Amino acid sequence: PEPTGLGNYGGRYLRYGVREHGMAAISNGIAAYGANIPFASTFLNFISYAAGASRLSALGKLRVLYVMTHDSIGLGEDGPTHQPIETLAMLRATPNYLNFRPADGNEVSGAYMAALLHADHPSVFSLTRQNVPHLEGSSVENTLKGGYSLQTIGPDSGAGGAVPDLIIVGTGSETSLAVDTARLLADKHSLVVKVVSMPCLELFDAQPDAYRHEVLTPGVPSVSVEALATFGWHKYVHHPIGIDTFGLSAPYKEAYERVGLTPDAVAAKALKVVDYYKKNPVPTLALQF
């Protein structure tokens, strides 16, 4: 009641305070009733506090949209208590979830479209705190496929679909880092590098074999770059680059430098991968039987 000064029952928003589990549980009830499509929002790391109820979103096939911000060490000075590392790996391991980590505005739009089209799945949107550039080659339509070839960079990269020397897979804010790394490898080492954007692994896994192997070209060494745990990425790439320790309190650019997520550092690791597979067979990944 208004005389209490605590607000009223008008409007479309519920203010939960620091009550992540209650927020997710109530969202499940709204979704189950069926009149509305609820969304719930907090920092990505704190969906862990909602895990009991958010897991039931997936088990119950409830279309709840979890809008999770501050999705990496990019949140900066709040430090490791607020910085998700293992969180997205946990969510990706949960059946029936769609987990989106969009790279730019086009991919955010595509993620929302996909979430609304999949009525029996909850969705998680992992969104950055820091600004990200609009990427050439991104699109709403390709986001619906979960992963796609964003750009190919390097000498003769546009000539007849030449097989690249390396694939770099990026998600979210690290997709632009993948593009910058590809340019560095092309300029300094004359490599042809395909950059793949992978906003949703679950949607990518649902694509036909032919499409997935078109994106992740068999016989080509590959790395991924994501400012989160590397757990789960060996299914898709030969060497995942990420963070397998807790984060740190620092301005986000300094934090990225400390954990080796810069174009120079990623390029150095990528060159080792390319050199290794010059002498060894390149396994075909992302097989499904």
Side-chain angles (χ1 to χ4, degrees), residues 44 66-69 71 88 91 99-102 124-128 172 228:
L44 176 60
Y66 291 98
V67 182
M68 303 286 109
T69 65
D71 73 341
L88 196 52
L91 293 167
N99 293 287
F100 296 96
R101 195 162 185 260
V124 175
F125 304 88
S126 298
L127 306 174
T128 68
L228 293 155

Side-chain angles (χ1 to χ4, degrees), residues 27-286:
S27 296
N28 285 342
I30 294 171
Y33 186 75
N36 297 287
I37 300 173
F39 75 90
S41 185
T42 183
F43 285 20
L44 176 60
N45 198 46
F46 301 134
I47 198 172
S48 299
Y49 295 138
S54 62
R55 184 176 186 270
L56 289 179
S57 304
L59 182 60
K61 299 181 178 179
L62 300 172
R63 185 168 47 182
V64 178
L65 278 56
Y66 291 98
V67 182
M68 303 286 109
T69 65
H70 298 68
D71 73 341
S72 74
I73 61 167
L75 69 84
E77 291 85 349
D78 280 344
T81 57
H82 288 53
Q83 293 168 347
I85 298 295
E86 78 292 350
T87 311
L88 196 52
M90 174 192 74
L91 293 167
R92 286 170 174 161
T94 305
N96 202 44
Y97 254 123
L98 294 178
N99 293 287
F100 296 96
R101 195 162 185 260
D104 67 1
N106 283 338
E107 291 193 359
V108 170
S109 297
Y112 276 110
M113 180 180 291
L116 295 175
L117 289 172
H118 289 79
D120 56 353
H121 296 267
S123 297
V124 175
F125 304 88
S126 298
L127 306 174
T128 68
R129 177 194 183 191
Q130 69 270 31
N131 293 331
V132 293
H134 180 79
L135 296 171
E136 180 181 350
S138 71
S139 76
V140 171
E141 294 75 18
N142 281 330
T143 302
L144 300 178
K145 300 175 183 176
Y148 60 98
S149 301
L150 180 72
Q151 300 177 26
T152 300
I153 299 168
D156 302 321
S157 58
V163 175
D165 299 300
L166 175 71
I167 295 170
I168 304 178
V169 181
T171 77
S173 50
E174 287 71 66
T175 309
S176 59
L177 170 59
V179 172
D180 291 342
T181 302
R183 288 179 179 144
L184 188 155
L185 290 168
D187 293 343
K188 292 189 175 181
H189 301 277
S190 299
L191 295 182
V192 176
V193 182
K194 180 199 283 191
V195 177
V196 169
S197 180
M198 193 74 74
C200 182
L201 294 176
E202 295 83 9
L203 290 180
F204 184 72
D205 285 345
Q207 302 307 309
D209 286 351
Y211 176 78
R212 289 185 291 104
H213 290 151
E214 177 187 338
V215 174
L216 300 177
T217 311
V220 178
S222 57
V223 301
S224 61
V225 57
E226 184 175 64
L228 293 155
T230 61
F231 186 85
W233 273 106
H234 289 89
K235 175 181 175 181
Y236 304 96
V237 299
H238 300 103
H239 181 68
I241 300 170
I243 308 170
D244 291 316
T245 64
F246 288 113
L248 67 155
S249 177
Y252 88 88
K253 290 184 179 179
E254 181 181 332
Y256 269 68
E257 289 176 5
R258 290 277 295 276
V259 300
L261 291 178
T262 64
D264 286 332
V266 174
K269 290 185 177 181
L271 286 171
K272 292 180 180 179
V273 173
V274 171
D275 288 343
Y276 177 85
Y277 285 113
K278 284 179 180 178
K279 307 164 191 172
N280 296 279
V282 181
T284 299
L285 303 176

